[in-house]
């Protein structure tokens, strides 16, 4: 809370309400990366080893962009970027499941999912979990970038 006295008037402002909280613009700008990575996996361009290294590079780039924009709530912004990426990435894989299985030899017998659920639904269900992992990675990289 900030209390100012100007021209014999008392002005009280809540400083935390004036600051920018979650940077939804940045989340919107970076969210197509999830679609891009999902498309690369469906087309068979990004193999699992390549995909991990691409995710790391993208997480570091996102952390740097969060730092440059001086986002006040950088924790939630980083988390929501990762969550969006995971959901969109798995959504593309679930929609184009046949192409994904055909182009990726890592799953020769299909994707193992519970017996009561189809593989497409299983991939959709895993999207938020992948997103949480990516969000934590972006969060860690953002913390490191902010320290140095």
């Amino acid at each position: 809370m900030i209390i100012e006295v100007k021209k014999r008037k008392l002005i009280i402002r809540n400083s935390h309400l004036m600051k920018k909280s979650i940077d939804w613009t940045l989340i919107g700008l970076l969210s197509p990366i999830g679609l891009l990575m999902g498309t690369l996996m469906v087309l068979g361009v990004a193999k699992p080893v390549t995909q991990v290294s691409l995710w790391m590079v993208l997480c570091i780039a996102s952390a740097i962009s969060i730092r440059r924009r001086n986002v006040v709530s950088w924790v939630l912004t980083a988390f929501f970027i990762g969550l969006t990426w995971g959901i969109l990435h798995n959504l593309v894989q679930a929609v184009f499941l046949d192409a994904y299985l055909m182009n990726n030899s890592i799953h020769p017998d299909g994707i193992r999912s519970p017996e009561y659920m189809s593989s497409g639904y299983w991939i959709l269900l895993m999207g938020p979990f992948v997103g949480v992992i990516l969000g934590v990675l972006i969060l860690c990289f953002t913390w490191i970038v902010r320290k140095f």
Side-chain angles (χ1 to χ4, degrees):
M1 181 179 291
I2 298 174
I3 300 174
E4 296 179 17
V5 178
K6 288 186 178 181
K7 295 183 182 181
R8 296 183 183 172
K9 291 183 180 178
L10 184 64
I11 300 171
I12 301 174
R13 291 185 279 160
N14 288 331
S15 62
H16 69 279
L17 295 177
M18 298 177 70
K19 293 181 181 177
K20 192 175 186 180
S21 57
I22 298 173
D23 194 348
W24 293 107
T25 305
L26 184 62
I27 295 169
L29 288 172
L30 295 177
S31 63
I33 291 174
L35 294 173
L36 173 71
M37 290 297 289
T39 305
L40 290 176
M41 282 298 291
V42 166
L43 296 176
V45 175
K47 301 299 179 192
V49 174
T50 311
Q51 184 186 19
V52 171
S53 58
L54 278 173
W55 278 126
M56 290 298 168
V57 169
L58 293 170
C59 286
I60 292 170
S62 296
I64 291 170
S65 65
I66 290 171
R67 175 65 179 118
R68 282 190 176 172
R69 288 179 71 120
N70 287 325
V71 179
V72 173
S73 181
W74 59 273
V75 173
L76 289 175
T77 301
F79 182 76
F80 281 128
I81 289 171
L83 189 63
T84 306
W85 283 0
I87 291 171
L88 292 176
H89 171 261
N90 282 25
L91 178 67
V92 171
Q93 286 182 355
V95 169
F96 301 105
L97 182 62
D98 294 332
Y100 173 73
L101 292 174
M102 188 173 61
N103 292 327
N104 290 289
S105 60
I106 192 168
H107 304 293
D109 300 328
I111 295 176
R112 294 183 184 190
S113 61
E115 295 175 9
Y116 54 86
M117 188 179 297
S118 71
S119 298
Y121 290 132
W122 179 250
I123 290 175
L124 279 176
L125 185 65
M126 289 291 108
F129 295 107
V130 171
V132 167
I133 293 169
L134 288 171
V136 169
L137 276 174
I138 297 171
L139 187 72
C140 291
F141 285 130
T142 305
W143 180 76
I144 290 169
V145 169
R146 288 178 63 85
K147 287 291 181 186
F148 299 106

